[in-house]
């Protein structure tokens, strides 16, 4: 479970569990997260990542690239967020990124004339190895 949930990370659920079960296991959605596009009745498949609180365009794209199913609940979007053009609000939809870190990403972009590589994200204050690993498939330069 990833995105705007209280306890992101791997949730071990019984076979036949639904998106609603995964959401509950992750402590529920964070305040203000939009879950209206999340099909909570959908049965999960082993190994999939459920993304919560992403804009509709990213969520639909996530379903196209993930491990089957539809809607918001798959691995990273097929149209990654552009580090070179994204707004604070767009970056804030990424797992582990809040408004402060989103602003750091934009500040780095401004100071260095954009992003030539996703790897430059490692140089942003507040992005360590683990957060970078989570973000890498969801962004592009």
């Amino acid at each position: 479970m990833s995105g705007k949930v209280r306890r992101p990370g791997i949730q071990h659920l019984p076979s036949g569990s639904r998106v609603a079960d995964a959401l509950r296991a992750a402590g529920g959605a964070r305040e203000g997260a939009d879950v209206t596009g999340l099909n909570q009745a959908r049965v999960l498949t082993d190994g999939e990542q459920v993304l919560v609180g992403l804009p509709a365009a990213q969520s639909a794209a996530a379903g196209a690239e993930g491990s089957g199913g539809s809607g918001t609940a798959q691995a990273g979007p097929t149209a990654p967020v552009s580090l070179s053009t994204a707004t604070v609000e767009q970056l804030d939809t990424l797992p582990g990124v809040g408004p402060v870190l989103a602003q750091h990403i934009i500040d780095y972009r401004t100071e260095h004339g954009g992003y030539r590589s996703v790897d430059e994200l490692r140089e942003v204050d507040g992005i360590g190895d683990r957060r970078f690993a989570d973000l890498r498939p969801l962004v592009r330069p």
Side-chain angles (χ1 to χ4, degrees):
M1 188 60 79
S2 173
K4 296 191 174 200
V5 293
R6 287 184 170 78
R7 291 187 309 269
I10 296 173
Q11 306 298 328
H12 297 278
L13 301 167
S15 180
S17 293
R18 299 183 180 271
V19 171
D21 300 321
L23 187 59
R24 206 170 13 263
R30 291 194 326 222
E31 185 175 331
D34 182 10
V35 295
T36 57
L38 190 63
N39 180 357
Q40 294 187 42
R42 188 177 57 75
V43 176
L44 297 167
T45 58
D46 186 37
E48 83 174 88
Q49 181 178 24
V50 178
L51 301 174
V52 177
L54 297 178
Q58 283 185 341
S59 298
E65 183 177 285
S67 57
S70 63
T72 6
Q74 307 302 324
T78 57
V81 174
S82 170
L83 295 172
S84 297
T85 61
T87 64
V88 167
E89 292 79 16
Q90 291 167 324
L91 293 167
D92 187 33
T93 66
L94 295 168
V97 176
V100 172
L101 184 54
Q103 188 60 55
H104 287 309
I105 293 169
I106 290 173
D107 290 345
Y108 180 93
R109 175 175 75 201
T110 302
E111 292 170 19
H112 295 89
Y115 287 88
R116 288 171 288 293
S117 164
V118 170
D119 290 334
E120 287 181 72
L121 200 54
R122 289 179 186 247
E123 298 175 34
V124 174
D125 186 36
I127 298 183
D129 291 339
R130 182 175 177 184
R131 184 161 295 151
F132 177 73
D134 290 343
L135 293 174
R136 184 181 187 121
L138 303 175
V139 297
R140 64 182 170 85

